[in-house]
Each structure stands twice: as structure tokens, then as C-alpha cells.
Amino acid sequence: MSDDQELGITESKQYNTGEWYAEVVQKAGLANYAPDGMSGFIITRPRGYALWEGIQNYLDSEFKATDVQNAYFPMFIPESYLEREKDIVEGFDPEVAWVTHGGNQELEERLAVRPTSESIIAPYMAQWVRSHRDLPLRVNQWCSVVRWEATDTKPFFRTKEFLWQEGHTAHRTRDDAFEETMTRLGQYRSLYEDVLAMPVMRGKKPEHDKFPGADTTTTVEALMPDGKSVQAGTSHYLGTSFAAAFDITFSDEDEEEQPAHTTSWGLSWRSLGALIMTHSDDQGLVVPPTIAPEQVVIVPIYQEDTEEKVLDYAEELRDDLAEAGVRVELDDRDERNPGFKFNEWELKGVPVRFEIGPYEVDDDEVTVVHRPDGEESVEARDEVVDSIEDHFDEVYAKLYAKAEENLAENVRDAEDRAGILGTIGQHGGYVRTPWCGKEECEEEIKETISAEIVMVPFEDDEERHHPDVAEGCECAICDDEATETAFFAKSY
Ligand SMILES: [Zn+2]
């Protein structure tokens, strides 16, 4: 327990987002920074890990319900394996950490610490796939990967080692593989929209920003309250390029040898960073009840002469809630006063608080307070266990509505270079604009205000397209014909 005066958040979310975020992460007990000499790494504390487990449990059950099996591959990859797919090496080389010694012995071949696992998984998929009857093949692994980026540490958003899942599948046809790609993207979207109370936009990455070796990279993007976009999960249709590099082939019905179409898809604990950033406030962490390690905290309020009856009442209520499957904590610490407890549980992000004093006991009632906005109501004791799900739904709806409003208000159109620069400079958020598809046009914007094209909407997602593109117009940056809609934003 830290000192009382250290407990509260001192930075402002609105004016000092970066410092505020770091403070919430540490004071809500989610993570610590690693020791000197290990900058870029973090220690994930139990409360932080519990949130990650909530994300993990949801996705894992969705994956398993759709025929994915978990497996585990070594964290080291021989250099020669990485080199088999040249595009990957070019994509990741500067960020790869290498093992050169085992004990005192120099290795004959150095080993990469996995920046992603395609090049160690694909050779085994090649062994496992023989005939069309072996397809589709779907494996997923939960693991950490290392990318040695020289940037400032931002817990969960940017760390040299991060936790994620990576799914890898092989299919007979392009259509099957593409459908798989979209299925996984859809599961990422439902994680955000149904569990984390965060609306996201689905789309594709521009050609020049695809995953190395991929045919199509799809993404879900989430808008943060500071106007920056987070790439919140990606799903890649890899075509037959990995099959060609690693001999993932199968014999079809006519005994002809065919290359498999493969996919890979990953979601990291950046999702956790985005969750914290989206909902939390100047009092501390805010998370929806769907994922909160404790959904309800009961704070008893008593004097010496009422202690026994208040605590008895509170304990019985705790037991009833726990029996109904609610994650509930009774804070009966004698050495802390109720005000201190309120602040501490607000800091830790418990979505619903029950207050029980002598009046509640006498009237057979419970005072219920919602974390996000402090809304207070009084419920009858014999109804509160049944109505708790309604409170959870209300809290969830409040959080979702606020995030949805932020997204809706921050997609703006621009039809020329000055419009893009001015709009992002003034408001942040997304600028939707007609685009010719050339990387140079993005470069020009990137160099001026470090905003990039985070997403291009899918062809059939007409609502997301800039209205002028369908009618025929020029690229907002050059004079060529616009062929698609680009979403520019600054990003994490
Ligand atoms: Zn252009």
C-alpha cells in the first residue's frame, strides 16, 4: 500500500495524455517498468495480467468454437529459416534480437528471437499437410514476441517484448483462405465491440503497408480519445507466397500437387493499452464489467455500535453475489475509512460499488454507484442480485456510447492537401479523402504532419467511402484519378 497522498492520479487525461496514461497504468497496479538496462520491457502485475486473461479467454473460446487448435513453437528461429522468406527478413531485420551463444559456446548458426513465427511454423505446416483431406489446417499460439524497436516505452502499446496470439492457417483455395481472414477479423471486432466497449473500423492496409509477403492485410482500427488511431488487430491473407517459400503443398482430388493458400492473424496486448486509454479518466482506471477482475466492490460504512450488523449484512450480500457468478470483493479493512476505499476502488477501475451503512441495513436496501459517471441508485436488497446484470449492461452502454460518439465526431472529409493537413492539425482523428493509391502521396502528408493512411475501407463497405470517389474525382494530393478512399490519422 502506497501513502495516501500518492494514491490519486495527478496528471490530466485531456492535457497530458501520455503522462496520465503512464500514471494510470502504474497506480492502478497494472504494470511496472523493467529495471535500468532493460528499457522497453515491462513487468505485468496481477491486475494487468487479469485483464489480458479476460481478452485471452474470450478470443480463445471464439477460436476453438471455429475449429482452431492451440500449439506451441520454440521462441528461437534459426537464421536460415528466417532467410527462406526474404520478404520477412527485409521486413523485420533491424528489429530482430539474436542469440549468438549458448553458455560460453558460440553457436554455429545464430538464432533469432521470434519477431513473429511464420518461418518456424510454416515448415511444419508443410510436413503436416499432404493431401486435400488435411485442409483446412488451423493452429494458434499464445506467446510473446520480441521486436527491438528503439522508441519510448509505453506499457502495452510499445514494448520490446509483447504478449499476443498468432494464428496460422492453410486452405485449398483463395476463397477459403480469404473467408478465414475475414472470420478472424470479425472475431477481433467482436472482442472490441462486445467485450471491451470500443467501436472499431474494419478495413485494409494500403498495398505498401501490408505485412511482408502478404497479399492482403486487413485491420481493425480504434480511435483513442487523443485523436490517434490504434491498429488494434490484423488478419492477413498471405496468398501462396508462404506456401511457395516453405513448400506447403497438397495433392488435390486428381492427385495434382497444389500450393496451399495461407493466412495469419494476430492480436497483442496493445488491445489492453487501447482499453485503458479509451475509458479511463482523471480518477484512474475504467473498464467495462465484462472484463473487470472485480465487477462489484462492497464498501461497508459503520461506527463501532453498528459494525456487527453492517458487516453481517455485507458478508451475506457478498456470498449471494458470488454464488450468482458475480466477481465481487468485500472491502472490510478496518484501518481504512470509506472515503479512502471509494477513491482506491475508483482508481482500480471496479465498475460498480455497493455502499452499505446502518440505514441500508434497517431499510433492506443497497446503494449502488456506477464507476464511469458516479450515478447513484438505491435498490431493494432482495432484488439487487437479480438486477446486477442490468447495472452491468448500463455501465457497458455508457462506456460504449462515449467511445462511439468520439469516433462519430472525428471522421472528417477533406478533398485537398491543405484540407488534410489543416483538419488533422486542428482536430486529430480521421480524415477521409479520395486517393490515387500511390505511396508518394501518403509520404508527402507523413513528412509534413506524421499522419499516415491507417486504413482503406473494403470495396463493399460503401458507407465508409468518400462520396466523390464513386462519381470519379482526383486524388486529394496529386492530380491522378482517385481509385479508393484513404483514412489518414496519426497513430500509435
Ligand atoms: Zn495521389
Side-chain angles (χ1 to χ4, degrees):
M1 182 59 58
S2 45
D3 294 327
D4 292 21
Q5 63 265 37
E6 283 179 8
L7 196 61
I9 302 294
T10 58
E11 298 285 354
S12 150
K13 181 177 188 179
Q14 187 179 356
Y15 299 110
N16 257 331
T17 312
E19 290 80 358
W20 163 86
Y21 175 83
E23 208 185 358
V24 170
V25 165
Q26 289 173 88
K27 290 191 172 173
L30 306 179
N32 293 137
Y33 290 91
D36 289 350
M38 282 191 66
S39 77
F41 293 83
I42 59 168
I43 284 82
T44 310
R45 297 180 63 183
R47 297 189 69 78
Y49 201 80
L51 290 171
W52 174 240
E53 282 178 317
I55 291 170
Q56 208 175 10
N57 291 341
Y58 174 78
L59 278 183
D60 203 60
S61 65
E62 292 292 301
F63 293 160
K64 284 173 180 161
T66 45
D67 300 321
V68 178
Q69 293 178 307
N70 285 333
Y72 189 78
F73 291 79
M75 71 188 299
F76 301 125
I77 302 176
E79 188 169 16
S80 56
Y81 276 53
L82 267 190
E83 280 184 350
R84 281 178 73 181
E85 174 49 85
K86 272 289 174 204
D87 286 339
I88 297 180
V89 178
E90 281 162 20
F92 284 108
D93 211 11
E95 300 172 3
V96 172
W98 295 98
V99 177
T100 56
H101 287 73
N104 294 322
Q105 285 274 312
E106 193 172 340
L107 302 177
E108 272 178 36
E109 180 179 4
R110 59 181 187 158
L111 302 174
V113 181
R114 60 183 167 213
T116 175
S117 304
E118 271 81 3
S119 56
I120 186 90
I121 292 179
Y124 290 89
M125 288 173 76
Q127 288 187 28
W128 300 337
V129 172
R130 289 279 173 258
S131 105
H132 61 94
R133 283 178 293 271
D134 299 324
L135 297 174
L137 173 69
R138 298 182 174 97
V139 291
N140 175 63
Q141 76 170 342
W142 293 95
C143 64
S144 74
V145 292
V146 171
R147 296 181 191 170
W148 213 269
E149 294 177 272
T151 50
D152 291 342
T153 315
K154 197 177 189 69
F156 308 118
F157 277 106
R158 210 162 273 284
T159 49
K160 289 196 177 94
E161 180 186 21
F162 56 88
L163 296 178
W164 78 345
Q165 60 69 219
E166 48 178 317
H168 300 268
T169 69
H171 306 265
R172 295 185 207 189
T173 65
R174 181 197 184 280
D175 284 356
D176 288 353
F178 204 82
E179 194 186 328
E180 177 80 16
T181 307
M182 296 305 289
T183 298
R184 303 310 158 195
L185 193 71
Q187 290 175 333
Y188 293 157
R189 177 165 75 167
S190 65
L191 167 74
Y192 286 101
E193 300 195 340
D194 303 335
V195 182
L196 305 182
M198 295 167 60
V200 290
M201 294 197 301
R202 295 175 321 146
K204 294 186 292 187
K205 288 289 171 188
E207 283 298 306
H208 59 265
D209 195 25
K210 293 185 308 193
F211 178 73
D215 175 280
T216 309
T217 288
T218 66
T219 180
V220 286
E221 298 283 324
L223 183 65
M224 296 295 100
D226 63 355
K228 291 187 190 170
S229 185
V230 171
Q231 179 181 301
T234 50
S235 182
H236 316 285
Y237 166 54
L238 301 171
T240 54
S241 62
F242 281 77
F246 293 99
D247 297 323
I248 309 175
T249 60
F250 64 98
S251 56
D252 64 15
E253 281 93 339
D254 304 320
E255 303 291 318
E256 301 275 339
E257 204 68 3
Q258 303 285 354
H261 293 256
T262 64
T263 79
S264 69
W265 24 279
L267 181 137
S268 77
W269 70 11
R270 177 179 279 199
S271 52
L272 177 48
L275 171 78
I276 299 162
M277 179 76 85
T278 297
H279 302 304
S280 303
D281 60 23
D282 289 352
Q283 277 68 54
L285 184 69
V286 178
V287 292
T290 38
I291 193 115
E294 300 96 353
Q295 297 168 301
V296 176
V297 61
I298 302 173
V299 179
I301 304 161
Y302 52 82
Q303 304 293 331
E304 223 181 311
D305 57 333
T306 50
E307 178 173 355
E308 197 183 334
K309 74 168 180 181
V310 168
L311 283 181
D312 285 351
Y313 188 89
E315 281 167 14
E316 197 180 309
L317 180 57
R318 177 204 45 205
D319 294 346
D320 287 356
L321 285 167
E323 199 174 313
V326 176
R327 299 189 290 276
V328 57
E329 175 84 19
L330 168 62
D331 188 352
D332 55 5
R333 288 175 297 170
D334 204 29
E335 73 279 14
R336 294 294 186 194
N337 64 46
F340 179 94
K341 292 178 184 178
F342 294 170
N343 288 336
E344 189 180 286
W345 292 107
E346 282 181 4
L347 176 67
K348 288 181 171 175
V350 178
V352 174
R353 180 173 77 228
F354 282 5
E355 298 174 9
I356 293 167
Y359 295 116
E360 276 86 358
V361 177
D362 292 342
D363 297 343
D364 275 318
E365 287 172 348
V366 178
T367 297
V368 181
V369 183
H370 293 177
R371 166 67 179 92
D373 58 359
E375 190 186 329
E376 202 176 300
S377 59
V378 176
E379 295 271 344
R381 166 66 180 88
D382 59 2
E383 285 166 18
V384 77
V385 176
D386 290 334
S387 69
I388 189 65
E389 287 297 332
D390 297 337
H391 285 285
F392 291 164
D393 290 347
E394 274 177 49
V395 168
Y396 193 93
K398 285 176 191 176
L399 295 177
Y400 194 92
K402 198 170 168 198
E404 195 175 35
E405 192 183 317
N406 182 47
L407 177 58
E409 284 173 355
N410 285 291
V411 180
R412 297 179 181 86
D413 288 348
E415 287 74 37
D416 56 31
R417 192 175 178 278
I420 299 171
L421 297 177
T423 307
I424 291 185
Q426 196 186 342
H427 304 286
Y430 298 108
V431 169
R432 190 170 75 153
T433 195
W435 178 46
C436 64
K438 289 203 307 270
E439 188 175 0
E440 299 99 270
C441 290
E442 182 195 36
E443 264 321 301
E444 217 181 301
I445 302 296
K446 217 182 206 171
E447 277 164 19
T448 320
I449 48 165
S450 67
E452 60 192 289
I453 299 173
V454 295
M455 191 193 91
V456 172
F458 292 115
E459 281 95 47
D460 60 359
D461 194 0
E462 276 152 29
E463 269 177 40
R464 291 259 179 245
H465 289 256
H466 190 288
D468 294 354
V469 176
E471 289 163 21
C473 67
E474 287 178 359
C475 169
I477 301 130
C478 71
D479 293 336
D480 289 354
E481 192 197 347
T483 52
E484 47 199 334
T485 299
F487 277 71
F488 277 92
K490 295 190 177 185
S491 71
Y492 275 99

